[in-house]
Amino acid sequence: MQIFKIGVIGGSKCNSKILRLAEEVGEEIAKRGAVLICGGLGGVMEAACKGAKNKGGTTVGILPGIKKESANQHVDIPIVTGLGEARNVIIVRSSDGLIAVDGRYGTLSEIAFALRFEKPLVGLHTWNVDEHIIKAETPEEGIEKLFEKMKGR
Amino acid sequence: MQIFKIGVIGGSKCNSKILRLAEEVGEEIAKRGAVLICGGLGGVMEAACKGAKNKGGTTVGILPGIKKESANQHVDIPIVTGLGEARNVIIVRSSDGLIAVDGRYGTLSEIAFALRFEKPLVGLHTWNVDEHIIKAETPEEGIEKLFEKMKGR
Amino acid sequence: MQIFKIGVIGGSKCNSKILRLAEEVGEEIAKRGAVLICGGLGGVMEAACKGAKNKGGTTVGILPGIKKESANQHVDIPIVTGLGEARNVIIVRSSDGLIAVDGRYGTLSEIAFALRFEKPLVGLHTWNVDEHIIKAETPEEGIEKLFEKMKGR
Amino acid sequence: MQIFKIGVIGGSKCNSKILRLAEEVGEEIAKRGAVLICGGLGGVMEAACKGAKNKGGTTVGILPGIKKESANQHVDIPIVTGLGEARNVIIVRSSDGLIAVDGRYGTLSEIAFALRFEKPLVGLHTWNVDEHIIKAETPEEGIEKLFEKMKGR
């Protein structure tokens, strides 16, 4: 059986409403038995990891820096790249599909790479820059649509 | 005297109108004594390098692959990264300012990194995704505005 | 409780004696509850992953290419970098300690990075180039010495 | 006419005898009309760049950090990678041939990559770890042997 890897992309700074959405996204991913991939830091990344762990999931944090201690406390597997923002490419390449939640320029770069590599991509209250981003209003709808898209491949 | 490094970002595939614009961009860069940095491949990159060489400039191509032979014939200094699209970060970091000409998703990732790293950025018939992209209609206007912005720092 | 990440480095081509050693290395790592990190391909990497899975361990493969399918069948978490040999740095940075088994030039680069980053490093029938490589004759001895060194930090 | 790119690898800390050797290496490279590629920092890198500029050569510094100001003052073209030690791969890939002068573990990683990618490689008072490293006692002898090897390809 294939275990899907789902990338959650979003900023390290966001408001509490976005944090709740991100936590739900993590929960939905774990409920479907998928592994959560993210940048491993705070904000959306931390909330999503927390959600995944709430439901017994597995989390991977692909860190920009050189210290594993920079990972949020809900990361099971820290990947320490030391590559700075170039690690964004690895998050996208390692994911079978991605969901963007809010986010600023770093997230925009990841959206661009997801489109470039033709990965299924859902957007939840994020950059609206391309028709290939599947829009969703809720975490449940977003993850549902993402899995449909991945299974259809 | 400081020699500016100007990044030209844009796709490897584009129409002939865009090619002419890119060549002019390269010419304007060289006329100001700046070094042109790009991804080293075809399309906008090749036309811009050609323009720079028309005016006696210097060109650097930061290549995604492992063969220097993949550089277009107008690249003076090929940098062979073998990093694939992760090399986009290096193009942006190595530039004092950038101009985006047309382009698809790869260019969008570079625009995102330029915004992330707070680099002066001009857009010429390209992605219109953020207020910090300085708009221009012609190569001359674009390079003029870019130099003003860089000198004001 | 801290879960150690142990890097196993070695070539994709080796003889059957080395394969048996690598499999035992993987078993010893899993028996101690540590996560195995490697380059995700064949040879020493595959044998070590097989050993870890024999004992119910978890395996991470940090791949050089752009296809997750290039991972050997015993990799639980493929990290798809697309960075070619530059991914060797990530293997070393992500590991709390490493064991080198046999290996050619790629392994030598990883040994060099492990020494550079001052990671505990055990050598089992591998490059003998520096006094800071802890020598071992058997997998059990090697992993035993590696854990002693990591715990002493 | 092909312009050769020669990588000079060596540490950022070394004694004055090594600095003089590195400066001569840079002079010999520039005298042959080749471009010097290096890591762009101090020590061997700075001395080699100084030597190349003494003879009117061109120098490229592939920097590990995110600031172009970290380049030594003799670097013409700073390439700002932000990749840390992963940039060592780029130095090697961008060079048609390399000469190692002294050096510690970072240099050892570059030697390993040069051997891996089958690049002509000369060693001057450096790691003696493989039969494919061409030994030399003086800068002139080293660069002479390196050019012979590159031209024979």
Side-chain angles (χ1 to χ4, degrees):
Chain A
M1 197 198 72
Q2 186 181 17
I3 296 176
F4 283 117
K5 274 79 181 180
I6 307 298
V8 180
I9 55 183
S12 56
K13 286 173 191 166
C14 59
N15 64 39
S16 58
K17 186 194 140 207
I18 294 295
L19 287 180
R20 277 194 301 275
L21 285 177
E23 188 170 336
E24 270 185 72
V25 164
E27 291 180 351
E28 293 293 332
I29 290 169
K31 279 160 66 179
R32 281 166 180 79
V35 170
L36 188 151
I37 311 264
C38 72
L41 303 179
V44 163
M45 297 170 265
E46 184 167 8
C49 288
K50 182 168 185 288
K53 297 310 294 178
N54 288 347
K55 301 295 178 185
T58 298
T59 59
V60 177
I62 300 180
L63 299 164
I66 62 172
K67 288 186 186 300
K68 66 176 176 176
E69 290 76 15
S70 64
N72 72 63
Q73 61 179 312
H74 308 290
V75 168
D76 295 318
I77 313 268
I79 303 295
V80 185
T81 72
L83 301 178
E85 274 75 9
R87 71 80 149 84
N88 294 4
V89 174
I90 305 177
I91 295 169
V92 177
R93 285 203 184 281
S94 298
S95 300
D96 298 306
L98 298 102
I99 180 163
V101 185
D102 192 62
R104 294 293 295 146
Y105 300 132
T107 304
L108 179 59
S109 76
E110 291 162 325
I111 287 172
F113 286 126
L115 293 166
R116 176 88 165 86
F117 305 147
E118 299 183 0
K119 300 274 185 178
L121 170 65
V122 165
L124 193 64
H125 304 284
T126 189
W127 293 87
N128 185 12
V129 293
D130 193 82
E131 64 193 4
H132 292 98
I133 304 174
I134 302 163
K135 277 184 207 153
E137 287 305 313
T138 67
E140 198 181 350
E141 181 200 353
I143 295 298
E144 188 61 38
K145 284 183 170 176
L146 188 56
F147 272 77
E148 274 168 35
K149 183 80 175 175
M150 290 191 303
K151 285 174 181 167
R153 303 201 114 197
Chain B
M1 195 198 72
Q2 185 180 17
I3 296 175
F4 283 116
K5 274 80 182 179
I6 307 298
V8 180
I9 54 182
S12 55
K13 286 174 193 168
C14 60
N15 64 39
S16 58
K17 186 192 139 207
I18 295 294
L19 287 180
R20 278 193 301 274
L21 284 177
E23 187 170 337
E24 270 186 71
V25 164
E27 290 180 352
E28 293 293 331
I29 290 169
K31 279 160 65 178
R32 281 166 179 77
V35 170
L36 188 152
I37 311 263
C38 71
L41 303 179
V44 163
M45 298 170 264
E46 184 166 8
C49 287
K50 182 168 185 290
K53 296 312 293 179
N54 288 347
K55 301 295 177 186
T58 299
T59 58
V60 177
I62 300 180
L63 299 164
I66 62 172
K67 289 187 185 297
K68 66 175 175 175
E69 289 78 14
S70 64
N72 72 63
Q73 61 178 312
H74 308 289
V75 168
D76 295 318
I77 313 266
I79 303 295
V80 186
T81 72
L83 300 178
E85 274 76 8
R87 73 83 150 82
N88 294 3
V89 174
I90 305 177
I91 294 170
V92 177
R93 285 204 183 280
S94 298
S95 300
D96 298 307
L98 298 103
I99 180 164
V101 185
D102 190 62
R104 294 293 295 145
Y105 301 133
T107 305
L108 179 59
S109 76
E110 291 162 328
I111 287 172
F113 286 125
L115 295 166
R116 176 88 165 88
F117 304 148
E118 298 183 1
K119 300 275 183 176
L121 171 65
V122 165
L124 192 65
H125 304 284
T126 189
W127 293 88
N128 185 11
V129 293
D130 193 83
E131 64 194 4
H132 292 98
I133 304 173
I134 302 163
K135 277 185 209 155
E137 288 304 314
T138 67
E140 196 180 352
E141 180 199 354
I143 295 299
E144 188 61 38
K145 285 184 168 175
L146 188 57
F147 272 77
E148 276 168 35
K149 182 80 176 176
M150 290 190 304
K151 285 174 181 165
R153 305 200 110 197
Chain C
M1 196 200 74
Q2 185 181 20
I3 295 176
F4 283 116
K5 275 79 181 179
I6 307 298
V8 180
I9 54 183
S12 56
K13 286 174 192 165
C14 61
N15 65 38
S16 58
K17 186 192 141 206
I18 294 294
L19 287 180
R20 278 194 300 274
L21 285 178
E23 188 171 336
E24 271 186 71
V25 164
E27 291 181 351
E28 293 293 331
I29 289 169
K31 279 160 64 177
R32 281 165 179 79
V35 170
L36 187 153
I37 311 262
C38 72
L41 302 179
V44 162
M45 297 171 264
E46 184 167 7
C49 288
K50 182 167 185 288
K53 297 310 293 179
N54 288 347
K55 300 295 178 185
T58 298
T59 58
V60 177
I62 299 179
L63 298 164
I66 62 172
K67 289 186 185 302
K68 67 176 175 175
E69 290 77 14
S70 64
N72 72 63
Q73 61 178 311
H74 308 290
V75 168
D76 294 318
I77 314 265
I79 303 295
V80 185
T81 73
L83 301 178
E85 273 76 10
R87 71 79 149 87
N88 293 4
V89 174
I90 306 177
I91 295 170
V92 176
R93 285 205 183 280
S94 297
S95 301
D96 298 306
L98 297 103
I99 181 163
V101 184
D102 191 61
R104 293 295 292 146
Y105 301 133
T107 304
L108 180 59
S109 76
E110 292 163 325
I111 287 171
F113 286 125
L115 294 166
R116 176 88 164 86
F117 304 148
E118 298 184 359
K119 300 274 183 178
L121 171 64
V122 165
L124 192 64
H125 304 283
T126 189
W127 293 87
N128 184 13
V129 293
D130 193 82
E131 64 194 3
H132 292 98
I133 304 173
I134 303 163
K135 277 184 209 153
E137 288 304 316
T138 68
E140 197 181 349
E141 182 199 353
I143 296 298
E144 188 61 38
K145 284 182 169 178
L146 187 57
F147 271 77
E148 274 169 34
K149 183 81 176 175
M150 290 190 304
K151 285 175 181 166
R153 304 200 112 196
Chain D
M1 195 199 73
Q2 186 181 18
I3 296 176
F4 283 117
K5 275 78 182 178
I6 308 298
V8 180
I9 55 182
S12 55
K13 287 174 191 164
C14 60
N15 65 39
S16 58
K17 186 193 140 208
I18 295 294
L19 287 179
R20 278 195 300 275
L21 285 178
E23 188 171 335
E24 271 186 70
V25 164
E27 291 180 351
E28 293 293 331
I29 290 169
K31 279 160 64 180
R32 282 165 179 78
V35 170
L36 187 152
I37 310 262
C38 73
L41 303 178
V44 163
M45 297 170 265
E46 184 167 7
C49 287
K50 182 169 185 290
K53 297 310 295 178
N54 288 347
K55 301 295 177 186
T58 299
T59 58
V60 177
I62 300 180
L63 299 164
I66 63 172
K67 289 186 185 299
K68 67 176 174 176
E69 290 77 14
S70 63
N72 72 63
Q73 62 178 312
H74 307 291
V75 168
D76 295 317
I77 313 267
I79 303 295
V80 185
T81 72
L83 301 179
E85 273 76 8
R87 72 80 150 85
N88 294 3
V89 174
I90 304 176
I91 295 170
V92 177
R93 285 204 183 281
S94 297
S95 300
D96 298 306
L98 298 103
I99 180 164
V101 185
D102 192 61
R104 294 293 293 146
Y105 301 133
T107 304
L108 180 58
S109 76
E110 292 163 325
I111 287 172
F113 286 126
L115 293 166
R116 177 87 164 85
F117 305 147
E118 298 183 1
K119 300 273 184 178
L121 171 65
V122 164
L124 193 64
H125 303 284
T126 188
W127 294 87
N128 184 11
V129 293
D130 194 82
E131 64 193 3
H132 292 98
I133 305 173
I134 302 163
K135 277 185 209 153
E137 288 305 315
T138 69
E140 196 181 351
E141 180 199 354
I143 296 299
E144 189 61 38
K145 284 184 169 177
L146 188 56
F147 271 76
E148 275 168 35
K149 183 79 177 176
M150 290 190 303
K151 287 173 181 167
R153 303 199 112 198

